Structures are given as C-alpha cells and as structure tokens.
C-alpha cells in the first residue's frame, strides 16, 4: 500500500469537514427525537441510570422505550457521561460516531474490491461523509441507523476477506441493535448456497442476541418481554408503507385496519417466495462470484426487501444507499444508481423532516423510479452471472 502525504491530508480535511457539516445540523429537532428519544433520556435520568433497564415499556408512563435493549444501554451510558451536555447532542453524537465507522468501513471495502486502490477508497470515504441520507439521519433526525449498518458493513467486509467467523459476529451485533439487519440475510443465504460462507457460524446470532439481554434481565426485565421485542415492533405499524417508495404506495391508505393487517401477512409471504426464486436460480446457475457481484447482490436484495416488504420506513434503505458508493467506484454507471437513491431519499426525508409538499401521489412516482433502479440492479446482476464478469482481487 502506497499512501502519499496528499492522501493523508485529503482524509484529514474530509474527516474534519464531515464533522463540521454534522454539527451545523445539531439544533434540528426532529419529531422522532421530540416524541421518543427525549422521553427515553428523561425516563433514564428519573430512574437514576441502570434501574431504567428494568422498566417494562408500555405498562405505564414510566417507560415508552420500544427498541431492543442494546440501544437502551447506550442511553444509560449517556446518562452517566452527560456532563451537562444537552441530551439531544449526546444522542446525535453516538450516531455521528458510527457515521465515521460506516465511512471507514466503506473505505476498507472499496480498497479490497478495487484491486487495492487507495484513491478510490478515499473517494468512497469522502462520499459517505457527505451523503444526504447519512448526514440527515444522524445529525438532523437523531436516528441511529448508522449503528446497525456499521456492523452489517463490517460483516460484509469480513465475508469479502473470507473470515466467516468474524462476519457472523458482526452480523449478530447488527441484529441485536436493529432487526432491519435482516435485510442482509438474503445475501448471506445466497453466499452459503454458493459455498462462499460457512452457515454454521450463524449460531452467533442467537447467542449474542440472548447474551446482550442479560444486563436488562439482571435489572429486572422478564425474559419473555426481552425476547418478544422484535415481534412487538412488527405489530406496531399496520400501514402498508411508512413513507418508503415501495409497491404499496399504489394502494389506498384508507383501507380498513383489518384489511391492511391481512395484506401485511400476505405481502410478507410473497416476499419470501420472491427471494426463494432468486436463491434457487442463483444456486442452480454456475457462475463466478466476483467482488462486484457481491456488492451488486447486497444492493439488489436489500433494496428488494424494502420495496416488497410492507410497513417500511423511509430510513430502512440506509444500508443499500450507503453501499451504493462502493458500486459507484466500481463502475461509472453505478454513479447513476448511487445518485438516484440519494435523490429519492432526500425527497422522502424532507417530507418528514422539513414538511416538504411531497404528496402520496408523488410517492407513487418515486416508487416507479425505485422499481426502475431495482430492475437495473437485477439486470446488471444477471449480466454478471451470464457473462462471468471478473474483477481483479
């Protein structure tokens, strides 16, 4: 690896500007922070810190927390290290730290898949530092999608490097933070079918998921409550789409609750069938697994998950949106996909964050654009499989 002084200076400048960019948005108060995170921090302060872990959410006004306990540990940690800093700044800082983990991991992935190109890796790092979806998610929204995404990206990096054990440990950590990490699972299954990963290491997922709950159990939470968190989250939303440009935007939001719930179940089953067909085709077709194929496959399957599954929030495309940067450095055509995803995300984020005048009919148009992106990725994937495209490793 040859690194010049200019490379180091570029990294340092982008690192600093990325932080300044985020700090400029720290005073934005999103609805999610005002109605959720602020209450969680307040409840933790009132409970005195560790005792907050033992309060069962939803039983009373004592706790409104509805995330998995891993993020609750972060809230308790922030309680103890607050030092008079505004709670909102503390919450945002955690996500910003993981923004940097994501950016550096993307840089490492880009370095490994571009024949160890330092300048392409640095360009990927710079792009992630200023992606609208990344900056707005952490610094403005105070959301934490960068946390689980950082661990998913680390999992992907170690799959690329052939270190399956570490890959599944990182994936288990990602899933323990947010169940949206499951969007990475179709890629893992297909890689297993192609003998690229050893599926036995998936046992790390239940082990780490359960071990992560031990502090909350010690604090007083019941194991049944802890193990049922993700199941309860699935039941929280009955709308077919939560501002994500998916196939469900064409359906009326005025459907009766019972009808929506039936469609949610049916749509989930249909999604599983779709991925079953893709997995079967990939398994039966003989082709070489290249680095570009891996990146394209993650993008395609993750976006397809968000597009086909019901009750998706606009933030759930965070993983493919950030990984599209690597797709862009692999091919100039990928830059179009990366840019298009950012434009779509900026529009849906703005609808929530800044109350822009994007209507339900606009979302239908955005959904058609998203479908076009997915079809493009699918076609590129098919070409790679058919032509046996090779990328230098």
């Amino acid at each position: 690896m040859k690194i010049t002084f200019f490379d180091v200076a570029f990294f340092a400048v982008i690192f600093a500007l990325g932080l300044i960019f985020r700090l400029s948005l720290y005073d934005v108060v999103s609805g999610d922070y005002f109605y959720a995170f602020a209450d969680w921090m307040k409840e933790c302060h009132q409970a005195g810190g560790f005792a907050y872990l033992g309060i069962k959410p939803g039983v009373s006004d004592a706790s409104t927390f509805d995330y998995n306990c891993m993020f609750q540990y972060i809230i308790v940690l922030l309680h103890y290290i607050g030092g008079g800093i505004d709670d909102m700044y503390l919450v945002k800082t955690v996500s910003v730290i993981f923004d940097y983990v994501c950016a550096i991991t993307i840089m490492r992935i880009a370095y490994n898949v571009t024949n160890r190109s330092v300048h392409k890796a640095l360009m990927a790092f710079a792009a992630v530092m200023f992606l609208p979806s990344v900056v707005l998610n952490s610094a403005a929204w105070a959301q934490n999608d960068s946390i689980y995404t950082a661990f998913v990206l680390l999992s992907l990096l170690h799959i690329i490097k052939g270190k399956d054990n570490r890959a599944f440990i990182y994936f288990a950590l990602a899933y323990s933070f947010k169940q949206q990490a499951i969007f990475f699972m179709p890629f893992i299954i297909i890689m297993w079918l192609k003998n690229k990963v050893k599926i036995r290491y998936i046992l790390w997922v239940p082990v780490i998921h359960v071990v992560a709950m031990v502090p909350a159990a010690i604090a007083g939470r019941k194991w049944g409550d802890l193990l049922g968190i993700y199941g309860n989250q699935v039941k929280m939303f009955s709308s077919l789409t939560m501002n994500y440009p998916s196939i469900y935007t064409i359906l009326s939001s005025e459907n009766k609750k019972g009808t929506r719930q039936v469609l949610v179940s049916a749509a989930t089953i249909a999604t599983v069938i779709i991925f079953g067909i893709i997995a079967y085709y990939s398994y039966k077709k003989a082709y070489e697994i290249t680095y570009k194929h891996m990146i394209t496959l993650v993008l395609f399957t993750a976006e397809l998950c968000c597009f086909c599954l019901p009750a998706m929030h606009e933030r759930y495309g965070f993983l493919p949106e950030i990984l599209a940067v690597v797709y862009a450095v692999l091919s100039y055509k990928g830059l179009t996909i990366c840019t298009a995803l950012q434009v779509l995300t900026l529009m849906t984020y703005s609808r929530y964050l800044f109350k822009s005048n994007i209507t339900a009919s606009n979302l239908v148009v955005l959904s058609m654009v998203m479908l076009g992106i997915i079809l493009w990725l699918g076609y590129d994937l098919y070409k790679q499989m058919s032509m046996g495209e090779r990328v230098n490793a």
Side-chain angles (χ1 to χ4, degrees), residues 286-345:
Y287 61 93
E288 183 181 7
I289 305 293
T290 65
Y291 291 148
K292 183 177 181 180
H293 179 80
M294 287 185 177
I295 301 301
T296 310
L297 183 61
V298 177
L299 279 174
F300 175 70
T301 53
E303 284 291 3
L304 194 59
C305 276
C306 295
F307 191 80
C308 294
L309 286 173
M312 294 290 102
H313 288 264
E314 61 278 274
R315 296 178 289 101
Y316 288 1
F318 194 89
L319 170 62
E321 289 159 9
I322 200 171
L323 192 59
V325 170
V326 180
Y327 187 62
V329 300
L330 283 169
S331 169
Y332 75 92
K333 293 181 180 179
L335 184 60
T336 303
I337 299 298
C338 183
T339 303
L341 287 175
Q342 288 303 307
V343 171
L344 289 180
T345 302

Side-chain angles (χ1 to χ4, degrees), residues 10-27:
F10 178 78
F11 178 87
V13 170
I14 294 300
F15 190 100
L17 289 177
L19 179 59
I20 294 171
F21 188 13
R22 285 161 174 76
L23 290 175
S24 70
L25 296 169
Y26 261 37
D27 287 324

